[in-house]
Amino acid sequence: DAGVTQSPTHLIKTRGQQVTLRCSPKSGHDTVSWYQQALGQGPQFIFQYYEEEERQRGNFPDRFSGHQFPNYSSELNVNALLLGDSALYLCASSNRDRGGTGELFFGEGSRLTVL
Amino acid sequence: LAKTTQPISMDSYEGQEVNITCSHNNIATNDYITWYQQFPSQGPRFIIQGYKTKVTNEVASLFIPADRKSSTLSLPRVSLSDTAVYYCLVGPQTGANNLFFGTGTRLTVIP
């Protein structure tokens, strides 16, 4: 049973560029959430997708957008990259009916470096 | 979601019991207390969750007093592999994915 998988694991971009990160949820899960984790900080909630729609959003600008596909996988897109976007981007999956503080499964993340 | 306060860091020798306390004064009636563990360059991993009194699993115990304004994660006989950041979260058991992690407690286990 595959857990949450994310790609790529590492990538380097320059300021102003755009990036797309991908996530496949754990088998049986239908909800995907994205988190940004800066160095030395805890993860910060970006947004959540369920039934291919954004359901909740944290305090992130519109440069951060996402998508969920019919197979429940998801993408996180960040436009006009800033140096401050350098972070570990984590995807977490859950089942809608069970999603909550005890039912999130995280991937190992995509480490983005913006130069 | 209720905010939490935890010590920034703790050190412990191998084989000792470690207790990490979390304050959550604004916990709501339907909130649960959940602890996650995170190793460097990995995603957080669920450890334990509870609502009141005591919960124990194969990894840890969680102690919650009657007023629920704090909780204590207890790790028995820690080993070097328990070196990680531990996050205390407070929120509904179901229906909320916008978790507030805070900065967590960095536990360092010393040989």
Side-chain angles (χ1 to χ4, degrees):
Chain A
D1 178 23
V4 179
T5 58
Q6 294 187 242
S7 63
T9 55
H10 297 82
L11 69 166
I12 300 174
K13 294 285 188 178
T14 57
R15 281 178 296 175
Q17 285 190 314
Q18 179 263 347
V19 68
T20 297
L21 308 177
R22 296 175 178 81
C23 171
S24 292
K26 179 179 170 63
S27 178
H29 286 183
D30 57 10
T31 302
V32 172
S33 301
W34 287 91
Y35 287 78
Q36 179 196 64
Q37 185 172 25
L39 201 60
Q41 302 296 316
Q44 288 196 326
F45 175 76
I46 303 175
F47 43 52
Q48 176 198 82
Y49 276 84
Y50 171 69
E51 290 186 335
E52 302 179 47
E53 289 189 15
E54 183 182 296
R55 300 292 179 169
Q56 298 181 58
R57 189 179 183 92
N59 188 26
F60 279 80
D62 292 344
R63 297 187 298 108
F64 289 78
S65 63
H67 189 77
Q68 186 179 36
F69 299 94
N71 67 351
Y72 308 122
S73 66
S74 177
E75 287 182 350
L76 165 65
N77 300 294
V78 187
N79 295 321
L81 285 168
L82 305 173
L83 296 179
D85 294 331
S86 295
L88 180 68
Y89 287 85
L90 294 162
C91 172
S93 76
S94 62
N95 183 287
R96 178 70 170 180
D97 292 335
R98 296 291 297 161
T101 52
E103 299 291 340
L104 282 191
F105 292 81
F106 285 83
E108 297 203 345
S110 295
R111 171 75 63 187
L112 170 65
T113 301
V114 182
L115 301 177
Chain B
L1 295 173
K3 297 294 179 66
T4 59
T5 303
Q6 316 172 221
I8 293 175
S9 64
M10 296 180 67
D11 294 337
S12 176
Y13 287 102
E14 257 190 311
Q16 290 190 327
E17 177 184 75
V18 171
N19 295 308
I20 306 175
T21 298
C22 178
S23 297
H24 27 80
N25 291 321
N26 296 322
I27 189 169
T29 303
N30 63 338
D31 284 345
Y32 282 69
I33 299 151
T34 309
W35 287 79
Y36 279 80
Q37 174 193 55
Q38 187 177 26
F39 298 112
S41 297
Q42 292 188 22
R45 183 175 71 98
F46 171 86
I47 301 176
I48 196 167
Q49 181 181 68
Y51 184 81
K52 62 180 179 181
T53 61
K54 177 183 174 182
V55 179
T56 297
N57 61 23
E58 65 278 6
V59 176
S61 295
L62 178 59
F63 299 92
I64 305 167
D67 66 4
R68 303 198 331 119
K69 293 184 182 301
S70 68
S71 59
T72 299
L73 174 71
S74 180
L75 304 173
R77 299 178 299 281
V78 294
S79 64
L80 297 178
S81 62
D82 292 317
T83 295
V85 178
Y86 292 82
Y87 295 97
C88 165
L89 286 76
V90 172
Q93 187 182 34
T94 61
N97 285 165
N98 54 334
L99 305 181
F100 176 77
F101 276 80
T103 55
T105 298
R106 182 173 299 278
L107 172 65
T108 302
V109 179
I110 306 165

